[in-house]
Amino acid sequence: FMDTAVSYVFAKLDTSSSMPTDTVARVDMKFVNANPNLRIRPMDVRDDYDNFFLGHIPEGRSNVPNYNELVSFNVWNNVDVVYGSNLAGMKYYFICKPGGGGNSATQIDLFYNGADSVTVDANGQLIIHTTLGDIVQPKAAAWQLDANGNYQALGWQPSYTIVGTNEIMFTGFGSYNTT
């Protein structure tokens, strides 16, 4: 994680020869026109930790804490980003808060630096193509919380829209409670 981007790093070790080779692919999901003073805040520390031993860091990194969530507040005006993970992998959510006039979600602009290309498939999934395979983001979805904090389905769902080379924004917004 970086303050204004999230990096996806994949490695493939080819052991078919006497000199194994390591191929690495990195894609940075950058927040376009975001608040330049962002800081990621850890939330809810877990009891477990990770150790990393990588070729480019010979001394490794040990006892790296894990958190249930990380939050970047006000990435765009009235838009926070919450990161979490489960057994299926990393997840991120955009929290679009009321206020500020208009739909705060229309500011969300993501650039995938290092991707070979970015496409949207027939099912509405975002496909980030890399030299080591594809990163598949599920179809975009939107919910609203009621006064009691319960998720409320909306009668519409946003869509990924390609707005430039390896750059997407969300479109297809309907009405929602803005208070």
Side-chain angles (χ1 to χ4, degrees):
F1 290 95
M2 296 174 279
D3 290 329
T4 58
V6 174
S7 293
Y8 298 89
V9 180
F10 302 92
K12 179 181 178 184
L13 181 61
D14 181 358
T15 59
S16 62
S17 70
S18 61
M19 292 293 295
T21 57
D22 208 6
T23 304
V24 176
R26 174 177 166 169
V27 174
D28 296 329
M29 180 180 74
K30 294 189 171 197
F31 305 142
V32 178
N33 297 319
N35 174 356
N37 300 313
L38 291 176
R39 295 291 175 260
I40 294 177
R41 305 284 187 247
M43 308 292 276
D44 194 18
V45 67
R46 296 184 346 204
D47 293 331
D48 60 322
Y49 60 87
D50 287 324
N51 298 312
F52 298 94
F53 299 97
L54 306 167
H56 66 285
I57 307 174
E59 70 278 8
R61 298 288 185 262
S62 59
N63 296 319
V64 176
N66 288 312
Y67 301 91
N68 285 321
E69 288 185 339
L70 300 172
V71 180
S72 290
F73 294 100
N74 223 32
V75 175
W76 294 277
N77 187 34
N78 291 319
V79 179
D80 300 337
V81 181
V82 177
Y83 311 94
S85 66
N86 58 28
L87 295 176
M90 187 189 83
K91 303 287 183 195
Y92 59 91
Y93 305 93
F94 298 102
I95 308 298
C96 301
K97 299 175 281 191
N103 184 345
S104 57
T106 61
Q107 303 171 85
I108 300 170
D109 188 344
L110 305 173
F111 175 71
Y112 294 90
N113 187 48
D116 293 337
S117 65
V118 175
T119 59
V120 178
D121 72 9
N123 296 318
Q125 299 178 115
L126 180 67
I127 313 296
I128 305 154
H129 304 280
T130 77
T131 55
L132 292 181
D134 295 339
I135 303 167
V136 179
Q137 298 290 327
K139 182 178 180 175
W143 303 270
Q144 185 158 349
L145 297 178
D146 66 17
N148 297 319
N150 299 311
Y151 288 94
Q152 298 293 311
L154 299 171
W156 54 271
Q157 293 299 312
S159 301
Y160 299 110
T161 299
I162 307 292
V163 296
T165 302
N166 295 347
E167 186 175 354
I168 65 107
M169 293 182 82
F170 294 95
T171 58
F173 301 106
S175 61
Y176 60 98
N177 183 344
T178 59
T179 59

